[in-house]
Amino acid sequence: MSSTTAKGPGKTGGTEKAGGVGGPGGAETAGGGRPLRLDLAALQRPVPPGAPEPLPEPDRDTMRLEVVMGALSDPLRMRIVRTLLLESEAFDHTCGWFGLDRPKSSLTHHFRALREAGLIRQRQYGLERRSHVRVADLEARFPGLLGLVADWQE
């Protein structure tokens, strides 16, 4: 597989942590495990005061399923979204939090692909960009998709 190290978040290969995608758009595991329920409300944290405006992204109504699925077709990008869903510790996270052993230019490409597809929202804080999943927009536009992402195993 890829050469990644688990620096910030824990391993993301199973259904270990599922604070949650349950609620109305929840999904169950497809691989014989127990149902994974994501609590969508718990995944949405309020925007902290003084947070910068988000970088350009598609509006909810213009997000296209084939573009979203194309962005998720890369295992590293799927892992990034899944990690944000299941292991977030704050409103948003820097690229370094993921502990990915990849060149900065490669990570920039992957995070940009996720943002341009509408999967994540990024904000520029000085020299760093921080990301979080657009839970409400994705669940409204593609109900159940985040449950499938959370249930994915490498």
Side-chain angles (χ1 to χ4, degrees), residues 1-17:
M1 193 102 275
S2 65
S3 58
T4 60
T5 57
K7 180 178 171 186
K11 300 286 183 191
T12 60
T15 58
E16 65 284 349
K17 291 186 199 176

Side-chain angles (χ1 to χ4, degrees), residues 39-140:
D39 180 0
L40 295 173
L43 292 173
Q44 298 181 69
R45 294 185 167 97
V47 178
E53 288 298 313
L55 297 174
E57 62 188 27
D59 292 328
R60 175 192 294 185
D61 295 337
T62 63
M63 288 193 292
R64 299 185 49 92
L65 182 60
E66 69 272 17
V67 175
V68 169
M69 297 303 285
L72 291 173
S73 69
D74 182 278
L76 178 64
R77 292 194 290 260
M78 179 77 94
R79 185 180 317 134
I80 289 168
V81 174
R82 186 174 189 278
T83 300
L84 282 170
L85 281 173
L86 300 180
E87 301 180 30
S88 284
E89 301 165 346
F91 172 71
D92 51 13
H93 294 282
T94 64
C95 293
W97 175 78
F98 294 89
L100 301 170
D101 185 22
R102 299 285 174 94
K104 186 176 180 179
S105 59
S106 173
L107 292 176
T108 298
H109 163 74
H110 288 295
F111 279 89
R112 183 177 58 242
L114 291 170
R115 185 184 78 243
E116 289 177 351
L119 286 154
I120 65 171
R121 174 164 289 146
Q122 289 189 304
R123 297 173 192 273
Q124 187 81 35
Y125 292 81
L127 296 176
E128 64 186 19
R129 289 185 177 176
R130 298 181 192 172
S131 308
H132 65 268
V133 178
R134 294 176 59 185
V135 174
D137 291 338
L138 288 164
E139 193 57 28

